Amino acid sequence: MMLNILVVDDEENIVNVLKAYLEKEGYRVFTAYGGKEALDILNKERIDFIVLDLMLPDISGEQVCKKIRVRSQIPILMLTAKAEESDRVSGLSLGADDYMVKPFSPRELVARVKAILRRLDREQTIKADIIEFNDGKLLIDKEKMQVKNNNILVDLTPTEYKLLLVLAQNPGKVFTREELIEKVLGYDYEGFDRTIDAHIKNIRHKLQDYENELITTVYGVGYKFMENQ
């Protein structure tokens, strides 16, 4: 199904360029030059993604974002001329999924749109009872609390299973050892954070992840799980 993207910006050149780039990638593009027009389109059309400028002539992009978030979790990529870190933090705190500063590369913007949509796709998949990775070779059945690798049942301890599940439910996200301890072993755990390293080593061995392609060490930080391609 073709996805609908709404581009909201009062600069006609930017709107035209983004419309051309996004349509080239197979998206259907709606355009608006102000906040009120954007909200009207949202009331009438099914929109899957919004590229939203913050500096609009009628309603500010921040206000538009707030109004959208009251009723919807449509992914939003904000555009702005404001480059300060506080501005970026403010934009993201309003509920934006990403933030780009003008001037920007249209190709990079399209790449970010695709990345956000892929992430949301993965999150929908993760909500299912069975999580698949590595072209279906690795299966995690949350209902049965079972893991299969190459159709062979993997014998994990309860702690190893919980650790693997936390990582796999957040592909690409880097977790510190402390975060993994908190999520897997609980707040009251008083052991060493390097305990996680031992569990990761065991999981890798049992999954035959000898090249560390499934679970990657982020040196000086912690670990992350592979992202499905």
Side-chain angles (χ1 to χ4, degrees):
M1 180 176 64
M2 181 180 290
L3 296 181
N4 295 334
I5 296 181
L6 173 60
V7 176
V8 188
D9 199 302
D10 63 338
E11 297 184 52
E12 187 174 355
N13 287 342
I14 289 178
V15 171
N16 290 339
V17 168
L18 291 181
K19 187 173 189 294
Y21 271 81
L22 290 166
E23 286 181 341
K24 185 179 179 181
E25 296 299 322
Y27 301 112
R28 183 185 181 194
V29 180
F30 293 82
T31 61
Y33 295 92
K36 291 180 181 178
E37 184 182 4
L39 293 172
D40 286 342
I41 292 173
L42 284 167
N43 285 330
K44 298 174 184 176
E45 304 289 346
R46 176 187 58 80
I47 300 298
D48 302 295
F49 195 102
I50 302 171
V51 178
L52 176 63
D53 182 28
L54 292 187
M55 304 292 287
L56 297 173
D58 48 6
I59 306 175
S60 71
E62 289 93 341
Q63 289 299 315
V64 173
C65 186
K66 286 180 181 179
K67 290 177 181 291
I68 293 170
R69 281 293 172 258
V70 168
R71 63 185 185 184
S72 172
Q73 291 302 311
I74 297 171
I76 298 173
L77 190 157
M78 283 186 171
L79 298 178
T80 181
K82 301 176 182 179
E84 296 297 325
E85 181 181 0
S86 59
D87 296 315
R88 295 197 297 272
V89 171
S90 175
L92 294 172
S93 67
L94 290 173
D97 295 86
D98 203 350
Y99 191 107
M100 290 189 72
V101 177
K102 296 178 179 179
F104 59 88
S105 160
R107 290 177 62 188
E108 182 185 353
L109 183 141
V110 171
R112 291 203 193 185
V113 169
K114 288 182 175 180
I116 293 169
L117 290 171
R118 281 198 303 271
R119 174 173 59 78
L120 294 174
D121 236 9
R122 287 195 300 269
E123 289 175 358
Q124 289 300 316
T125 301
I126 286 168
K127 290 177 182 176
D129 289 333
I130 297 179
I131 307 173
E132 297 186 19
F133 282 97
N134 206 13
D135 297 324
K137 294 177 183 176
L138 176 64
L139 301 175
I140 303 175
D141 189 325
K142 293 192 290 184
E143 184 175 343
K144 296 180 180 178
M145 295 183 65
Q146 289 182 344
V147 177
K148 287 186 178 181
N149 191 32
N150 290 316
N151 211 31
I152 298 174
L153 193 64
V154 181
D155 183 20
L156 298 176
T157 67
T159 298
E160 290 165 357
Y161 172 80
K162 286 173 66 177
L163 180 54
L164 176 63
L165 186 61
V166 167
L167 291 167
Q169 285 183 317
N170 299 274
K173 174 179 171 56
V174 179
F175 286 94
T176 65
R177 292 174 177 84
E178 292 78 10
E179 287 173 328
L180 291 172
I181 285 174
E182 180 182 306
K183 290 179 178 296
V184 176
L185 300 174
Y187 291 101
D188 298 329
Y189 178 75
E190 296 180 352
F192 297 105
D193 61 359
R194 293 291 173 174
T195 300
I196 290 295
D197 296 349
H199 288 308
I200 293 290
K201 182 178 179 181
N202 290 339
I203 294 170
R204 283 171 168 165
H205 177 74
K206 293 178 179 181
L207 294 181
Q208 300 179 349
D209 184 24
Y210 303 122
E211 301 298 324
N212 300 343
E213 293 179 351
L214 294 174
I215 302 175
T216 303
T217 301
V218 181
Y219 292 99
V221 184
Y223 298 97
K224 70 175 181 178
F225 203 79
M226 74 173 295
E227 296 185 70
N228 269 333
Q229 302 298 317

